[in-house]
Amino acid sequence: MKIRKLDQHEIPPMGLMLLADPSQMLVSKYLERGECYVMENNNQIIGVYILVPTSTDKIELANLAVEKALQGNGIGKMLVLNSIERAKMVGYKMMEIGTGNSSIGQLALYQKCGFRITHVDRNFFIRHYDTPIYENGIWCRDMIRLSQEL
């Protein structure tokens, strides 16, 4: 398996990215502002993330996704750790990430990778999505923001 930056002429794996965020409009905005990285296995894209600069010393890890059939095998953790290393190499001092209040697995993963909860953006998903999102039997309403110093 290898992780590489998606070339400008390549079509981003939108189907995979929509697993992380069901809004194609928001995913497209991340792609416009950031750099997309993909994990490949046997020339098949199995994971993705986007790094979006938010200031001169802060970067956001956005749209982290792993193929459904491969989730729970440590691929997400490899992607998170790779994103942290890339951000450090470029000189960023802080990495931020956001996920839904219903994203129990993601919240655990991010904390295992060194992120700490910084605040809650109440009703984020109600304000930004037309259709209610349910995950793990929980209504996804709030954005949980996490960060870590690099």
Side-chain angles (χ1 to χ4, degrees):
M1 289 187 276
K2 70 175 183 175
I3 301 173
R4 65 174 179 84
K5 184 177 172 184
L6 195 69
D7 291 330
Q8 287 183 331
H9 68 277
E10 289 181 279
I11 298 170
M14 189 60 73
L16 183 57
M17 290 190 277
L18 291 174
L19 292 176
D21 189 329
S23 170
Q24 189 163 346
M25 182 188 73
L26 289 177
V27 172
S28 294
K29 285 183 180 181
Y30 296 141
L31 285 167
E32 287 173 16
R33 296 182 4 241
E35 294 182 337
C36 183
Y37 294 86
V38 294
M39 176 182 268
E40 293 178 319
N41 188 29
N42 297 324
N43 295 320
Q44 295 274 30
I45 295 175
I46 61 169
V48 64
Y49 68 83
I50 302 171
L51 287 177
V52 182
T54 56
S55 72
T56 56
D57 62 349
K58 289 183 186 175
I59 194 159
E60 181 173 358
L61 172 56
N63 212 253
L64 177 75
V66 175
E67 283 290 347
K68 280 186 179 183
L70 299 172
Q71 292 176 2
N73 292 310
I75 294 169
K77 185 173 185 177
M78 284 189 268
L79 291 168
V80 172
L81 296 176
N82 180 269
S83 71
I84 292 168
E85 287 308 308
R86 286 183 192 275
K88 283 181 183 177
M89 286 179 3
V90 176
Y92 287 97
K93 304 293 182 215
M94 177 76 66
M95 180 176 277
E96 302 173 312
I97 193 164
T99 194
N101 62 280
S102 58
S103 301
I104 297 166
Q106 291 89 328
L107 283 167
L109 169 65
Y110 301 147
Q111 291 177 83
K112 287 176 186 177
C113 291
F115 287 88
R116 299 200 50 202
I117 296 171
T118 54
H119 69 280
V120 177
D121 186 346
R122 293 177 59 84
N123 296 320
F124 175 90
F125 292 96
I126 294 171
R127 289 192 314 272
H128 295 281
Y129 294 81
D130 295 332
T131 308
I133 300 168
Y134 287 88
E135 185 179 28
N136 299 308
I138 302 168
W139 182 15
C140 183
R141 295 182 280 193
D142 305 323
M143 170 77 75
I144 309 298
R145 301 293 301 170
L146 304 96
S147 67
Q148 79 167 271
E149 291 182 25
L150 302 177

